[in-house]
Amino acid sequence: MGVTIKEVAKAAGVAPSTVSRVIADNPRISPATKKRVRKAMKDLGYHPNVNARSLVRSSTQAIGVVMPSSADKALQNPFFPEVLRGISAVAHDLEYSLLLSTGETEEEILEGVQRMVHGNRVDGVILLYSRLRDKVMEFLHEQNFPFVIVGKPNENIDTISHVDNDNIGASKEITQHLIGLGHRCIGFIGGSKDLAVTVDRITGYEQALQQAGLPIKKEYRVHTEFLKSGGRKAVHQLFSLKEPPTGLVISDDLMSIGVINMLEEFGLYVPEDVSIVSFNNVYMAEVTRPPLTTVDINIYELGAQACKCLVEKIQNKNEPAKRIIVPFEIKHRMSTQHLKEETSKRA
Amino acid sequence: MGVTIKEVAKAAGVAPSTVSRVIADNPRISPATKKRVRKAMKDLGYHPNVNARSLVRSSTQAIGVVMPSSADKALQNPFFPEVLRGISAVAHDLEYSLLLSTGETEEEILEGVQRMVHGNRVDGVILLYSRLRDKVMEFLHEQNFPFVIVGKPNENIDTISHVDNDNIGASKEITQHLIGLGHRCIGFIGGSKDLAVTVDRITGYEQALQQAGLPIKKEYRVHTEFLKSGGRKAVHQLFSLKEPPTGLVISDDLMSIGVINMLEEFGLYVPEDVSIVSFNNVYMAEVTRPPLTTVDINIYELGAQACKCLVEKIQNKNEPAKRIIVPFEIKHRMSTQHLKEETSKRA
DNA sequence: TGCAAAGATGCAAACGTTTGCCTATTCTAA
DNA sequence: TTAGAATAGGCAAACGTTTGCATCTTTGCA
């Protein structure tokens, strides 16, 4: 079907090996020959067969991208397209292909990844999530297969390359913002505690509280998958406390939108009644009502750096494990305001 | 590095070809031998090298998925993760891998696709968008390479397999819903007219208007990329008309959310002042305020069908071109209401 | 008992590259 | 003039499979 290197060789009157070297731009081939061969390639519409190449080089020019389980709605989070955009940009530059892997269950995902690495389909893998005792991560680690995590590994943090934000710092800073506005009762809403990112953001939140001499109350913390019925109940409880929070640190913009909606049902408005800050700065955060004060974690860069880092690791097997921290930036918008007098008196 | 078929053969005391046939579960191999070989495979931890296999079979078990240009924010639309989820599910079942392709510009995307097909990286391609005179589509079509479009091709509709909704019907039906609520002045807000989906939804909208004896006014139609500054201006204009619309058909849920926000700035509330219906039923539509009345186009199924259809085409080269219509369903929620008296008198 | 048919397995070529090593030609310099 | 280096290119093996065909056993049946 396709035209092969041999046909090009014949057309150009050289040996296949010469054509191969022309493709690789090997200096041992004279400029004149190169020109001739290139013409033949163009004339015949030649394109190298990557499978054959992969076979002998035992390296595909491809990297696997592993998404979290698609069972939950988390996948609908614009985080993923955006990080993919970053990965894709540098992959394209470096002439790498992207192999995607998802599945409904963790088991399915693991299968997919195993197919990828055992079958020699990819040279390395990017993990788009980081959860406690993750099978996929364990598998890659024990296979000693090149991979990098977007986020922060829960174990082996020094031997696993990862690119992350300073989530503790970011969370601390944005919580301080709330404190600076006079809030004293500040709640935290986040996803599963198995997610490293959740843990870090709680830590930062608590650090800020502590540093300001504010009490850390367990009942101010709610963990919910993604605003499903269970989530509603939790938020409802939070605002049924004798002393409900006046400020909320929320781990994700999309959650914020859900919470704002829910609060409105209770007759509570943002930012008049409760101030909200969150994370990620997805596009919706700008467009929603009110626009969200949120920390921009630079998702695109997260992806780009991860891809760059992975390729370095692939090309040099004993590149040391790296930890790359991409800077965040707080976007001040309309979802927070100074604590109102009456409410502050209440405290 | 990896263990090869030869080593397995040696371990099992058979020829490589026998091992190969065991992998393929060829009936010519006796059950006893199969068992022995399988044991050897397991013991040695054998996994076939897909590149070698692809080379001789000249078929990778992979399909390419082409996303639209990531330059605009459209990629942040949950449509894509969802359709990917559908594709991924059946791909996983059929043991196909997914190769992703995006790019900032159309040129970049085309490059990516060419690399995919020329390099023999994929057996077929799914296009996740359909726009007028699209280079990628033209390329695939003239190469006679197996592909299917999610959406509706603008040209060669009978020779290009595609899976789509009845967007004309859906749009007509949802517009009729608005009309049924007493609305007489109904606007349409959608994306680029180059997108087949936009055209269809306009058509349905106009059919409903016409059938109800309502005038079709050009000034009621606005096309905007995605709620950028230009979009704001257009919506502003729309509501500065002497007779502004009381109902809006919007081509995408995310747009709806933006529009609702914008209207609020003008002191207009949904659904009290203007009723809104839109398309897609993304998860946000349920959670936003007010919850959106929208047509559920069953995005997951769109993806699943596309993948299934593509694989059929791959496995049987002269499978005829198909057109698959997945049913829609209108989700009635809170973004519409009966036209208020005063307003209807105005007309 | 003999022989064809069926059953089970092996041989080797082929897929399209890359690359280590060899060869032939041209240069350089003593 | 010639040995040796430098330059340019070719040969053939190797990568790990699949598969058409050949081969060797059995088996069944007359």
Side-chain angles (χ1 to χ4, degrees), chain B residues 320-337:
Chain B
K322 279 179 201 144
R323 145 162 252 237
I324 298 169
I325 301 299
V326 348
F328 62 88
E329 184 192 349
I330 295 183
K331 299 283 183 190
H332 291 280
R333 291 201 271 254
M334 311 297 296
S335 61
T336 59
Q337 73 173 37

Side-chain angles (χ1 to χ4, degrees), chain A residues 195-212:
Chain A
L195 264 27
V197 62
T198 309
V199 175
D200 276 5
R201 288 177 184 172
I202 288 175
T203 305
Y205 152 81
E206 292 187 341
Q207 282 184 4
L209 253 40
Q210 204 153 31
Q211 206 166 299

Side-chain angles (χ1 to χ4, degrees), chain B residues 203-277:
Chain B
T203 305
Y205 152 81
E206 292 186 341
Q207 282 183 5
L209 254 39
Q210 202 152 33
Q211 205 166 302
L214 262 25
I216 294 174
K217 303 188 187 174
K218 281 278 176 267
E219 62 272 28
Y220 273 4
R221 248 173 55 186
V222 358
H223 295 279
T224 163
E225 266 312 307
F226 192 93
L227 273 306
K228 301 310 265 183
S229 43
R232 301 181 79 81
K233 217 190 301 168
V235 174
H236 190 271
Q237 254 171 32
L238 190 55
F239 283 87
S240 308
L241 293 174
K242 3 44 289 198
E243 196 171 51
T246 64
L248 245 28
V249 176
I250 300 181
S251 195
D252 186 289
D253 289 337
L254 252 41
M255 268 192 174
S256 285
I257 295 176
V259 169
I260 290 173
N261 181 25
M262 220 180 287
L263 288 178
E264 201 160 294
E265 286 175 24
F266 307 157
L268 259 25
Y269 293 87
V270 176
E272 295 80 1
D273 302 309
V274 9
S275 285
I276 284 187
V277 296

Side-chain angles (χ1 to χ4, degrees), chain A residues 253-254 256-258 260-261 270 278 282-294 333-335, chain B residues 232 254 257-262 264-265 284 287-289:
Chain A
D253 290 337
L254 251 43
S256 285
I257 294 176
I260 291 174
N261 180 26
V270 177
S278 52
V282 301
Y283 180 61
M284 284 295 324
E286 218 172 315
V287 168
T288 194
R289 189 174 26 121
L292 302 176
T293 291
T294 185
R333 290 200 272 254
M334 311 297 296
S335 62
Chain B
R232 301 181 79 81
L254 252 41
I257 295 176
V259 169
I260 290 173
N261 181 25
M262 220 180 287
E264 201 160 294
E265 286 175 24
M284 285 294 326
V287 168
T288 194
R289 191 174 23 122

Side-chain angles (χ1 to χ4, degrees), chain A residues 47 50-51 75-76 81 85 92 97-100 104 111 118-121 226 261 264 283 287 289, chain B residues 47 50-51 75-76 81 85 92 97-100 104 111 118-121 226 261 264 283 287 289:
Chain A
H47 293 274
V50 281
N51 293 309
L75 217 50
Q76 295 215 2
R85 200 167 69 87
H92 187 98
S97 293
L98 255 35
L99 259 194
L100 207 65
E104 294 289 318
E111 270 176 39
H118 280 147
N120 276 56
R121 271 185 205 275
F226 192 93
N261 180 26
E264 200 159 298
Y283 180 61
V287 168
R289 189 174 26 121
Chain B
H47 293 273
V50 281
N51 294 309
L75 216 48
Q76 296 217 2
R85 201 167 70 87
H92 187 98
S97 293
L98 254 36
L99 258 194
L100 206 66
E104 294 291 317
E111 270 175 39
H118 280 146
N120 275 55
R121 270 186 205 275
F226 192 93
N261 181 25
E264 201 160 294
Y283 179 60
V287 168
R289 191 174 23 122

Side-chain angles (χ1 to χ4, degrees), chain A residues 156-315:
Chain A
N156 305 103
I157 190 159
D158 293 324
T159 59
I160 296 180
S161 282
H162 59 283
V163 7
D164 196 9
N165 302 105
D166 174 10
N167 275 306
I168 298 182
S171 189
K172 185 170 170 185
E173 204 170 317
I174 198 130
T175 306
Q176 283 169 340
H177 173 59
L178 242 29
I179 295 172
L181 289 173
H183 295 274
R184 295 292 169 262
C185 303
I186 301 174
F188 179 96
I189 301 181
S192 164
K193 264 174 295 190
D194 283 357
L195 264 27
V197 62
T198 309
V199 175
D200 276 5
R201 288 177 184 172
I202 288 175
T203 305
Y205 152 81
E206 292 187 341
Q207 282 184 4
L209 253 40
Q210 204 153 31
Q211 206 166 299
L214 262 25
I216 294 173
K217 304 188 185 174
K218 282 274 175 272
E219 62 272 26
Y220 273 3
R221 248 172 54 187
V222 359
H223 295 278
T224 164
E225 265 314 305
F226 192 93
L227 273 304
K228 303 308 268 183
S229 42
R232 301 182 78 81
K233 218 191 298 168
V235 174
H236 190 271
Q237 257 171 29
L238 191 56
F239 282 87
S240 308
L241 293 173
K242 45 250 88 141
E243 197 171 51
T246 63
L248 246 29
V249 177
I250 299 181
S251 196
D252 186 288
D253 290 337
L254 251 43
M255 269 192 174
S256 285
I257 294 176
V259 170
I260 291 174
N261 180 26
M262 221 180 283
L263 289 178
E264 200 159 298
E265 286 175 23
F266 306 157
L268 259 24
Y269 292 87
V270 177
E272 295 81 2
D273 302 310
V274 9
S275 285
I276 283 186
V277 296
S278 52
F279 289 83
N280 289 11
N281 192 30
V282 301
Y283 180 61
M284 284 295 324
E286 218 172 315
V287 168
T288 194
R289 189 174 26 121
L292 302 176
T293 291
T294 185
V295 1
D296 184 340
I297 60 171
N298 208 344
I299 302 176
Y300 178 91
E301 195 62 19
L302 243 25
Q305 290 291 339
C307 191
K308 205 173 123 237
C309 178
L310 179 62
V311 172
E312 281 167 9
K313 176 87 146 246
I314 289 170
Q315 289 174 347

